Amino acid sequence: MLKLCGLQFLLAVQWAACQNLGDLHLTGPLKDMNFSIPEGTGVRAIYQFTSESPDVIFRATGEKDGLIDIVPDTGILYLNGSLDWETKAVHKLQVEILDKNGDVVKGPCAVTIYVEDINDNPPKFDQAQYTGVVRQNSRAGKPFMRVHATDLDDPTTPHAQLNYSIPHHFPNPYSEMLFQINSLTGEISPSRTGSYYLDPQKQDTFTLVVSVKDMAGLTENAFKNSVDVIITVKESLWKAPPTITIKENSTQPHPVNISQVHSNEADVIYEVFEKEALAKLPFSIDQNGSIYVTEPLDREEKDAYSFFVITKDKGGELVDKPLKINVVVEDINDNPPVCQNAVTVLEVQENEGGGSSIGTLSATDMDQKDTLNSRLKFKILSQDPAVPTSNLFFIQQDTGVLQLHGHSLNKRIASNYSLKVQVTDE
């Protein structure tokens, strides 16, 4: 009973194949032949081989895979099922003509059946969900992650050509999208709007809906799939350090590391440049972003510097916005006070009362103003002629104002007095 059912099925397949062949009129003598057949077409005739000799039998061997056969009496090569490109793209057979004794009359001839791919597979992402991290102020168009989908259809046809897009992201507080995707590669990057507005203090997590279509996304019949991408926004690494303070006239071996900056991107080239027309900028940066002062600085020569740090990619394009670096040179007490005049001549009337101001001694110090390094102190070291009981003069320590100590002067005793005054910055 089982054998009879199988025979009935075979006859039905052959009959259907013959019907299809009658419509196609594909017949001819046995020879090497190639055929292209779309996958999924079902039962159908492929070709009918003919022979000039009567009473012959046709036989097909090779990669039939239970789907391809030949009707022995009629030479009809047919499909008894659907071919699948994803399972097998090429079937190679040998067809022979035999006489009734089973001897080969003609052949074997090579018959190759190429299976044509149809778009019967939707694209699939290789992850159920993706996660990524982007830094605040990252460069627009610079990818920070990638999604990837595959399609089992023939990669040489549009059936497997994929097109990525971001239809939505949540939340989206702005009129323009904050993220963009390369339609061919699936690389995700901030948009121009995102590069400017992304801020973890305002919104630190976004959910992107990423879609992929086959047929290059150009037809309405393309298959489509989607996946969620969770993006975490982190604070920018690219920040200017606080104002850097450097003591002048340092005796350390130079260069000396004074700070460091970090780009949001890897493999960038760090450079420094200045807007001032200095003969030489006494600062440098290495490829780790470490900033150095290259020589001792002198505050009295220049008390502050401003320069910029930039980053470039290997193509020489600017990566991050320039950072302004501010350096203040800290004063040390490296300048002695200087009296404006080596000898100061003052006049005083005799019989002036005690406490009377005679004059002021002037001195300067090149160290930083209003600091202890430039604070001056005055002191009388000696008086000539000396008075045995007490000094006749008094000088205010912080102002250099010279006063009579309390005794009036008498020209008959001395008409001139010579004072030796010390001024210090300690």
Side-chain angles (χ1 to χ4, degrees):
M1 189 66 179
L2 290 175
K3 185 175 181 180
L4 179 60
C5 290
L7 176 62
Q8 288 174 339
F9 173 74
L10 177 61
L11 291 176
V13 169
Q14 292 176 350
W15 179 83
C18 289
Q19 290 297 105
N20 290 340
L21 182 65
D23 296 335
L24 297 175
H25 304 291
L26 298 175
T27 62
L30 179 63
K31 60 181 179 178
D32 292 346
M33 298 193 72
N34 297 329
F35 301 98
S36 293
I37 301 174
E39 63 175 330
T41 54
V43 175
R44 56 164 289 185
I46 301 173
Y47 194 84
Q48 183 175 18
F49 293 104
T50 59
S51 174
E52 296 178 355
S53 303
D55 302 325
V56 294
I57 298 172
F58 293 85
R59 180 173 69 184
T61 58
E63 300 171 350
K64 298 189 289 183
D65 296 328
L67 297 173
I68 308 169
D69 214 334
I70 196 166
V71 180
D73 295 335
T74 63
I76 297 174
L77 185 69
Y78 66 93
L79 297 178
N80 60 18
S82 294
L83 299 178
D84 183 18
W85 180 89
E86 288 75 28
T87 302
K88 194 177 184 70
V90 180
H91 296 262
K92 294 184 177 181
L93 291 78
Q94 296 79 41
V95 177
E96 303 169 301
I97 299 177
L98 311 176
D99 60 21
K100 290 188 175 181
N101 297 321
D103 295 327
V104 176
V105 176
K106 188 173 183 180
C109 292
V111 175
T112 303
I113 297 175
Y114 295 95
V115 184
E116 296 178 5
D117 181 55
I118 64 171
N119 191 24
D120 60 346
N121 288 284
K124 293 182 179 180
F125 286 99
D126 57 9
Q127 294 181 207
Q129 186 181 80
Y130 293 84
T131 59
V133 174
V134 64
R135 292 282 179 181
Q136 177 187 14
N137 298 332
S138 290
R139 180 170 46 152
K142 177 67 176 180
F144 61 88
M145 67 168 298
R146 180 175 183 258
V147 298
H148 182 255
T150 55
D151 192 303
L152 294 176
D153 291 319
D154 187 350
T156 65
T157 69
H159 304 155
Q161 292 178 9
L162 305 184
N163 182 276
Y164 298 93
S165 64
I166 303 177
H168 313 284
H169 66 67
F170 305 97
N172 188 7
Y174 303 101
S175 59
E176 299 179 15
M177 299 283 282
L178 301 180
F179 300 91
Q180 58 192 17
I181 191 168
N182 185 304
S183 62
L184 299 180
T185 66
E187 293 174 319
I188 299 175
S189 61
S191 66
R192 289 189 179 275
T193 303
S195 178
Y196 186 81
Y197 283 110
L198 285 173
D199 184 347
Q201 300 300 319
K202 296 178 181 178
Q203 181 70 38
D204 63 356
T205 305
F206 291 86
T207 298
L208 278 59
V209 179
V210 176
S211 294
V212 63
K213 290 182 179 180
D214 60 15
M215 299 298 292
L218 300 177
T219 68
E220 293 184 358
N221 295 329
F223 287 111
K224 175 183 175 181
N225 212 334
S226 298
V227 70
D228 284 354
V229 180
I230 310 301
I231 304 297
T232 300
V233 182
K234 291 192 174 182
E235 192 175 1
S236 176
L237 295 173
W238 186 242
K239 292 182 177 181
T243 298
I244 303 165
T245 300
I246 302 174
K247 284 186 179 295
E248 67 172 330
N249 298 323
S250 170
T251 58
Q252 288 182 268
H254 284 69
V256 176
N257 180 229
I258 55 175
S259 190
Q260 187 173 19
V261 293
H262 300 274
S263 175
N264 287 320
E265 300 181 22
D267 301 323
V268 297
I269 300 169
Y270 293 91
E271 294 181 4
V272 296
F273 76 93
E274 55 164 331
K275 289 188 175 180
E276 300 177 82
L278 298 179
K280 178 184 178 184
L281 183 68
F283 301 96
S284 65
I285 191 167
D286 66 16
Q287 292 316 300
N288 294 318
S290 295
I291 302 172
Y292 297 87
V293 58
T294 57
E295 60 188 48
L297 304 179
D298 185 357
R299 191 203 67 85
E300 287 72 42
E301 180 180 327
K302 187 172 178 60
D303 62 359
Y305 294 84
S306 290
F307 59 93
F308 293 85
V309 173
I310 59 172
T311 54
K312 294 181 180 179
D313 59 23
K314 293 181 179 178
E317 294 295 322
L318 197 65
V319 174
D320 300 291
K321 297 176 182 178
L323 288 184
K324 188 176 184 181
I325 310 298
N326 293 313
V327 176
V328 172
V329 184
E330 186 177 3
D331 184 50
I332 63 171
N333 192 11
D334 60 342
N335 288 283
V338 176
C339 294
Q340 291 182 332
N341 299 301
V343 176
T344 300
V345 179
L346 300 174
E347 291 186 359
V348 61
Q349 297 293 323
E350 64 178 341
N351 299 320
E352 283 277 355
S356 296
S357 176
I358 301 171
T360 302
L361 296 183
S362 297
T364 58
D365 192 301
M366 292 183 64
D367 290 321
Q368 187 170 355
K369 186 179 179 182
D370 299 325
T371 67
L372 292 177
N373 294 336
S374 62
R375 179 189 179 187
L376 302 183
K377 294 181 180 181
F378 296 85
K379 180 181 180 182
I380 297 174
L381 296 181
S382 64
Q383 170 189 311
D384 184 27
V387 177
T389 55
S390 65
N391 290 326
L392 297 177
F393 303 94
F394 170 81
I395 193 166
Q396 293 181 11
Q397 175 179 275
D398 293 315
T399 64
V401 173
L402 188 65
Q403 297 172 285
L404 288 178
H405 196 270
H407 301 278
S408 60
L409 302 179
N410 190 326
K411 187 175 181 180
R412 291 190 298 271
I413 298 174
S415 61
N416 291 284
Y417 289 89
S418 178
L419 303 180
K420 189 174 184 180
V421 178
Q422 173 182 279
V423 58
T424 62
D425 59 0
E426 295 181 348

